[in-house]
Amino acid sequence: MNFVTIYTLINCMFGHLLCLNVCTSGSATSCEECLLIHPSCAWCAQEDFGQARTLNSRCDFSQNLQKRGCDDPFIENPRSGSSLLRSKPLSSKGSGVTQYDVIQIYPQKISLSLRPGDQTSFEVQVRPVEDYPVDLYYLMDLSLSMKDDLDTIRNLGTKLAEEMRKLTSNFRLGFGSFVDKNISPFSYTAPKYQDNPCNGYKLFPNCVPTFGFRHLLSLTDKVDRFNEEVQKQLVSRNRDAPEGGFDAILQAAVCKEKIGWRKEAYHLLVFATDDVPHLALDGKLGGLVHPHDGQCHLNDKNEYSAANMMDYPSLALLGEKLAENNIFLIFAVTKRHYVLYKNLTALIPGTTVEILDQDSKNIIQLIVNAYNNIRSKVELSVWDHPEDLNLAFTATCQDGQPLTGLRKCADLKIGDTVSFNITVDARGCPPKGTRKGFIIRPVGFKDRLEVSVDYRCDCSCTYYTKSNSSRCNSAGTYSCGMCHCEPGYLGARCECEEGEVDHQHLSACREAEGKQVCSGRGECSCNQCLCYESEFGKIYGTFCECDDFSCARHKGILCSGHGECHCGECKCHAGYIGDNCNCSTETASCASDDGKICSGRGSCVCGRCQCTEPGAFGDTCEKCPTCPDACGTKRECIECRLFNTGRLADNQTCQRMCKDEIITVETLKTDDSNTVQCVYKTENDCVMKFTYSEHANGQSVLTALKEPECAVAPNAMTVLLAVVGSILLMGIVLLAIWKLVITIHDRREFARFQSARSRARYEMVRFDPSTALRLIQMIEIIYL
């Protein structure tokens, strides 16, 4: 018993599904019809099975057929499956003698046998190898506004090669330039501007004629030639602000032989500009009505010869050609246009955007960062996807947790292996004998997985079909245990002719007593219902009780276009749920930049995030100024963007995960009630302060101090002198106090002495004569 059957039965038992036998209610009149009703349905081809029953009783769950007496050899119940056709092991190193045998995806070829509705799964592993060759083509805007940038990159080749050889031992560099179409209104076309479009321009009076795209140096490992070629270049001038860079990108992508792209290498195309690009349909302003054909048009001079004959390429064409040729596009643009090009990366697979300084001083670090960013992620793309197949992805990245609905992994290190579980489901059957296939390829990789698909829509019992069989009274074709009667005949063995009605047995054409004959949507003939035709669809069933058009709709579309209507109920295709199948189970659109579903602050419902964390908002609930972790999350961006420190700087994912605008100030204002105040301590024990706010346009803004606030450490000599001085000062103060106390004490004693002496004199002065006479008499007596 297969999983689908078990799941269906369990849900029926516990009331999650209507306990309607989807197989018997489908009124299948052939084995092929039975297999299409539901993947759990089986057909009994045994001749003597169910003669006393209705015709559709041959189509049932396989265990029901067995219980009712159908022997196993006669049960038709094909299952979906897969088989490996080529499975070379993954490589670990990209350069050296094994360079041309590098395998980065496993397996390389498989075959699928699909029964409609019966899912099958297979696993894909991807490992970006170490030291893989790199081809880098530098495509530069040479309009007049890029003159200072041209001066900066004149020795770019040598410095860039030195940095890239730290990442790969096999590096090649090429160079091309562009301006715009040399027709009005994009360029100056008056005769006096033909040889010098800067004629009359006082700031820069001389420049070369305007051109569309010019291939200057094929990919080479001789980086000195790059420097030489760059030093020869002069800027040109066009009329309007947008440039013709997309013409140049497409030529650089499709002219593989002239550019020199190697099959066994990463292809990096660096697009350096300071303005916006012209897009498809802009060419109509200059009378160019022919859309771009996506072909290479470089002439003998390696110049784009069709610039003035075809329109600019569309984003879809650009993305197709970049992916077709395994090219990673790096937009190196000024900060003023970062948001525009960032939006373009969502429309062109395999692209990234970096901020270029006004004079391109940071171009080397920009390229290295972009390369590391590209190498740190793996994303699967599907090519030649048949419309009747549903594919569902589950990614298992480095943390080992399965992420349903995701087909990419980020924050990888070179040599890491990631796996993807891919579930395939066929919605229907193509014409007999049809074989289809598709290709799965990691974005930017040459490696791919070829998948061939064989549909299991036929029953083996049909090989024994016999027309005008005696088992059918010579009035029908015997196939898979039952008769298919010729026109005008009815019955299990074609024993009745149309029009023969036994009125006593009309009850056989009623679903229940009191119900209409054939549900009012057919006629009873030979005790069987013949259902009417309907302009809306098919009416079917034993009692004409079912149809394929009375199901729920979404925006006027039956089952939202993502399911099949079966007897009033939508049977959703894989990846969709709901009464009208309008709810997608895909979660890729809910994945935030850090790989979490809805940033961990909500749940993904029908492919959109429903934020449950109070204060969280945004497409992936990524914005939340009032969340407890808001300061902690933004702190990492402050660290890596301003100081190149912290966890994100180590993983080189700063540019990918930190897209908020950061404003640096000398003094931080903290009186705004609409901002969140954040403070943290740095590794150097300094204090960093910043504020976090959300603008009305949905953009997050971080305002931070230019430098952390740090306490200045005192000078050792200053401290020593201060301590000695303090001791001396304290000694002097104590001596002064002691002197003061002694002085006060001495003065008090002296005053006391003076007072006593004064009293003594006073007593002597007060002796009277009588006293003196007595004193003399006493002396005389003593003497005598």
Side-chain angles (χ1 to χ4, degrees):
M1 189 185 301
N2 63 75
F3 172 78
V4 177
T5 305
I6 296 173
Y7 176 80
T8 304
L9 292 175
I10 292 176
N11 277 279
C12 181
M13 292 178 189
F14 290 93
H16 298 297
L17 296 174
L18 292 175
C19 291
L20 174 68
N21 189 323
V22 66
C23 303
T24 58
S25 64
S27 297
T29 59
S30 69
C31 181
E32 286 79 5
E33 288 183 10
C34 177
L35 299 185
L36 287 173
I37 292 176
H38 195 272
S40 62
C41 295
W43 178 269
C44 180
Q46 189 170 315
E47 180 181 357
D48 57 354
F49 176 79
Q51 290 190 3
R53 304 175 185 271
T54 57
L55 293 176
N56 60 2
S57 62
R58 290 183 177 274
C59 185
D60 204 340
F61 297 126
S62 58
Q63 68 274 15
N64 289 350
L65 294 176
Q66 291 171 342
K67 290 178 180 178
R68 289 161 43 198
C70 186
D71 297 334
D72 287 344
F74 296 100
I75 295 180
E76 299 280 348
N77 189 20
R79 311 310 318 161
S80 297
S82 62
S83 58
L84 295 177
L85 300 181
R86 187 165 65 248
S87 55
K88 295 181 180 179
L90 294 168
S91 304
S92 58
K93 194 173 180 63
S95 294
V97 294
T98 61
Q99 174 180 336
Y100 300 102
D101 298 319
V102 173
I103 304 296
Q104 299 183 94
I105 189 170
Y106 175 90
Q108 297 82 47
K109 188 173 184 180
I110 65 172
S111 174
L112 300 180
S113 296
L114 298 179
R115 173 181 171 179
D118 187 26
Q119 298 178 350
T120 188
S121 299
F122 59 93
E123 187 175 279
V124 177
Q125 294 182 338
V126 180
R127 179 193 294 162
V129 299
E130 179 186 356
D131 195 24
Y132 199 68
V134 175
D135 288 345
L136 188 150
Y137 192 79
Y138 193 87
L139 186 57
M140 185 173 182
D141 178 1
L142 284 188
S143 59
L144 191 57
S145 58
M146 293 287 284
K147 181 181 182 302
D148 55 345
D149 301 76
L150 181 61
D151 296 335
T152 301
I153 72 162
R154 294 197 185 276
N155 294 311
L156 171 68
T158 304
K159 298 177 182 177
L160 179 58
E162 290 175 357
E163 291 297 321
M164 290 301 295
R165 286 194 175 113
K166 297 176 183 178
L167 304 172
T168 175
S169 62
N170 195 336
F171 175 69
R172 299 198 312 169
L173 190 60
F175 182 62
S177 61
F178 67 91
V179 182
D180 207 344
K181 295 181 183 295
N182 193 17
I183 58 174
S184 182
F186 313 119
S187 299
Y188 294 95
T189 57
K192 67 176 183 178
Y193 295 121
Q194 287 301 305
D195 296 327
N196 181 14
C198 294
N199 188 359
Y201 187 60
K202 294 181 180 179
L203 295 178
F204 196 82
N206 296 301
C207 57
V208 299
T210 305
F211 58 92
F213 165 63
R214 189 173 289 158
H215 169 52
L216 300 168
L217 178 66
S218 297
L219 291 160
T220 176
D221 56 0
K222 298 177 176 59
V223 295
D224 290 339
R225 290 190 57 197
F226 180 91
N227 295 338
E228 293 170 4
E229 203 61 49
V230 172
Q231 289 169 6
K232 296 177 187 176
Q233 302 310 308
L234 297 173
V235 294
S236 183
R237 186 186 182 198
N238 61 326
R239 187 174 222 162
D240 59 349
E243 319 290 6
F246 280 10
D247 268 342
I249 291 175
L250 193 137
Q251 292 303 297
V254 299
C255 299
K256 296 180 288 187
E257 290 77 16
K258 292 202 172 187
I259 301 298
W261 297 115
R262 292 176 293 180
K263 184 178 180 182
E264 305 290 337
Y266 275 115
H267 302 160
L268 305 183
L269 178 57
V270 179
F271 178 80
T273 184
D274 65 348
D275 223 315
V276 299
H278 276 298
L279 303 174
L281 302 182
D282 284 357
K284 289 191 174 182
L285 296 173
L288 304 179
V289 296
H290 295 290
H292 205 292
D293 61 4
Q295 302 300 314
C296 177
H297 294 282
L298 292 185
N299 58 22
D300 294 339
K301 297 180 180 179
N302 283 332
E303 293 183 349
Y304 178 38
S305 59
N308 300 339
M309 293 185 286
M310 290 188 297
D311 194 5
Y312 299 97
S314 65
L315 292 176
L317 179 62
L318 207 60
E320 177 187 338
K321 295 303 178 182
L322 289 170
E324 188 177 291
N325 295 285
N326 306 322
I327 294 175
F328 288 107
L329 176 61
I330 301 172
F331 287 126
V333 300
T334 52
K335 187 175 182 180
R336 184 161 58 104
H337 301 297
Y338 176 82
V339 174
L340 169 67
Y341 283 93
K342 182 63 182 175
N343 292 336
L344 292 180
T345 62
L347 303 174
I348 307 176
T351 59
T352 184
V353 60
E354 301 286 344
I355 296 177
L356 182 69
D357 287 348
Q358 289 295 337
D359 55 0
S360 296
K361 286 189 298 187
N362 68 330
I363 186 64
I364 293 178
Q365 190 59 44
L366 181 153
I367 292 173
V368 172
N369 288 344
Y371 174 75
N372 287 325
N373 185 25
I374 290 169
R375 292 301 310 270
S376 69
K377 60 186 177 183
V378 170
E379 180 177 3
L380 297 186
S381 62
V382 181
W383 288 73
D384 302 326
H385 183 184
E387 294 182 356
D388 59 348
L389 295 185
N390 291 318
L391 271 67
F393 291 80
T394 298
T396 303
C397 304
Q398 286 308 101
D399 58 2
Q401 298 297 320
L403 301 172
T404 304
L406 287 187
R407 60 172 72 182
K408 69 177 180 179
C409 290
D411 298 335
L412 304 177
K413 297 178 182 177
I414 302 300
D416 285 347
T417 303
V418 294
S419 62
F420 301 88
N421 185 273
I422 304 172
T423 301
V424 186
D425 171 30
R427 295 197 295 268
C429 285
K432 289 187 177 182
T434 301
R435 290 183 63 88
K436 295 185 179 181
F438 57 93
I439 294 171
I440 293 177
R441 188 167 66 189
V443 174
F445 288 57
K446 73 166 184 68
D447 303 75
R448 64 183 190 175
L449 166 63
E450 298 178 12
V451 183
S452 61
V453 180
D454 178 28
Y455 295 83
R456 305 198 66 179
C457 298
D458 297 330
C459 299
S460 59
C461 57
T462 57
Y463 297 124
Y464 306 101
T465 298
K466 186 177 181 180
S467 58
N468 297 320
S469 172
S470 59
R471 296 170 177 170
C472 305
N473 293 300
S474 300
T477 301
Y478 181 81
S479 177
C480 294
M482 65 177 296
C483 290
H484 299 276
C485 302
E486 299 290 340
Y489 291 89
L490 297 171
R493 292 288 179 260
C494 306
E495 68 275 14
C496 296
E497 294 186 25
E498 287 187 15
E500 295 180 6
V501 179
D502 186 350
H503 293 282
Q504 295 182 353
H505 297 90
L506 281 177
S507 59
C509 295
R510 288 189 174 92
E511 187 174 7
E513 188 66 31
K515 291 288 187 73
Q516 287 183 295
V517 173
C518 298
S519 303
R521 302 200 293 182
E523 294 180 353
C524 185
S525 181
C526 197
N527 301 329
Q528 296 181 37
C529 285
L530 300 178
C531 301
Y532 298 138
E533 293 184 358
S534 172
E535 59 181 317
F536 302 109
K538 178 183 177 182
I539 299 174
Y540 59 94
T542 304
F543 308 103
C544 303
E545 74 278 10
C546 293
D547 61 58
D548 60 2
F549 52 82
S550 297
C551 289
R553 299 171 183 263
H554 179 65
K555 295 182 179 180
I557 302 176
L558 190 69
C559 299
S560 305
H562 301 304
E564 308 295 336
C565 182
H566 177 73
C567 205
E569 182 181 356
C570 286
K571 303 296 182 182
C572 302
H573 298 153
Y576 292 90
I577 58 174
D579 293 340
N580 54 12
C581 304
N582 69 325
C583 183
S584 172
T585 59
E586 180 77 20
T587 59
S589 58
C590 296
S592 55
D593 289 329
D594 59 2
K596 296 181 180 178
I597 299 299
C598 300
S599 303
R601 300 182 180 126
S603 55
C604 190
V605 179
C606 297
R608 301 187 65 180
C609 282
Q610 291 187 357
C611 305
T612 55
E613 181 81 21
F617 63 99
D619 291 340
T620 58
C621 305
E622 74 280 8
K623 303 178 186 299
C624 187
T626 59
C627 289
D629 62 340
C631 286
T633 302
K634 300 303 179 183
R635 166 187 172 173
E636 294 179 340
C637 292
I638 293 289
E639 288 177 334
C640 74
R641 285 274 296 277
L642 297 186
F643 309 111
N644 196 30
T645 60
R647 180 180 65 88
L648 299 185
D650 294 338
N651 290 336
Q652 294 159 337
T653 56
C654 186
Q655 293 294 331
R656 179 177 61 82
M657 296 186 63
C658 300
K659 305 180 184 67
D660 301 332
E661 180 182 1
I662 299 180
I663 302 172
T664 56
V665 295
E666 296 288 349
T667 305
L668 197 64
K669 295 181 181 179
T670 58
D671 54 354
D672 189 351
S673 59
N674 294 322
T675 62
V676 178
Q677 315 296 325
C678 300
V679 180
Y680 70 90
K681 199 172 184 180
T682 67
E683 297 175 353
N684 300 325
D685 290 333
C686 298
V687 175
M688 185 63 189
K689 298 179 180 179
F690 66 94
T691 62
Y692 169 32
S693 61
E694 297 286 346
H695 281 187
N697 61 3
Q699 184 180 16
S700 300
V701 178
L702 304 177
T703 305
L705 293 175
K706 285 186 177 180
E707 296 293 338
E709 295 178 347
C710 302
V712 180
N715 184 274
M717 183 59 69
T718 304
V719 173
L720 179 61
L721 292 176
V723 172
V724 173
S726 299
I727 294 173
L728 290 174
L729 180 62
M730 288 295 294
I732 292 171
V733 171
L734 290 174
L735 285 173
I737 294 173
W738 177 80
K739 181 64 176 174
L740 179 61
V741 172
I742 294 301
T743 301
I744 294 173
H745 180 269
D746 288 349
R747 286 184 178 178
R748 285 180 179 173
E749 290 299 321
F750 182 73
R752 195 176 294 120
F753 168 75
Q754 288 284 72
S755 176
R757 205 169 92 174
S758 296
R759 283 198 302 272
R761 288 179 181 175
Y762 178 76
E763 291 296 333
M764 291 179 65
V765 173
R766 287 181 58 189
F767 283 169
D768 56 10
S770 59
T771 304
L773 182 60
R774 284 195 297 272
L775 181 60
I776 293 171
Q777 289 175 352
M778 290 176 65
I779 293 171
E780 288 179 348
I781 294 171
I782 295 170
Y783 179 76
L784 292 175

